[in-house]
Amino acid sequence: MCPPSPPVPPAADSREPVRMTAWVRGMVQGVGFRWHTRARALAIGDLSGFALNTADGRVQVVAEGPAERCLQLLGWLREGDTPGHVDGVTEIWDTPRGGYEGFGIR
């Protein structure tokens, strides 16, 4: 039996709700990265979730909302004018779980 294939990114024009979890590598802690990520998520609008520093030096970003808006945030994480320096971003896609009020910093 073959293992299930991993979820793929949604179409850029999709308004379907999704959950995107991204791990951002590089110099992203201690430079205001989480604050700027929250500000960008709020500017994009209709996103809930959080940005969190991890023990290994990455920032984890969880965003739930319309796929097109999650893709906008992912694009900014990869190529936007972020503080610090991003070496790479790995993301996974899933169905939304809910439970977030707005977009926060943890």
Side-chain angles (χ1 to χ4, degrees):
M1 183 157 91
C2 294
S5 58
V8 296
D13 64 350
S14 175
R15 290 176 181 81
E16 287 294 315
V18 297
R19 176 186 177 98
M20 177 199 65
T21 303
W23 292 271
V24 185
R25 300 179 309 279
M27 192 181 82
V28 292
Q29 290 191 9
V31 294
F33 193 90
R34 291 177 301 152
W35 186 90
H36 280 84
T37 300
R38 179 180 182 272
R40 178 57 59 150
L42 293 175
I44 291 170
D46 205 16
L47 291 174
S48 60
F50 61 88
L52 166 77
N53 283 343
T54 64
D56 62 5
R58 298 178 297 171
V59 170
Q60 179 186 20
V61 178
V62 174
E64 292 189 356
E68 62 187 356
R69 295 180 186 234
C70 289
L71 284 166
Q72 287 177 33
L73 182 61
L74 179 62
W76 179 81
L77 291 170
R78 286 191 168 143
E79 300 176 12
D81 186 20
T82 61
H85 176 77
V86 174
D87 290 332
V89 179
T90 303
E91 90 278 355
I92 59 171
W93 298 91
D94 205 349
T95 56
R97 299 178 190 163
Y100 304 111
E101 290 188 29
F103 200 96
I105 296 171
R106 293 185 178 177

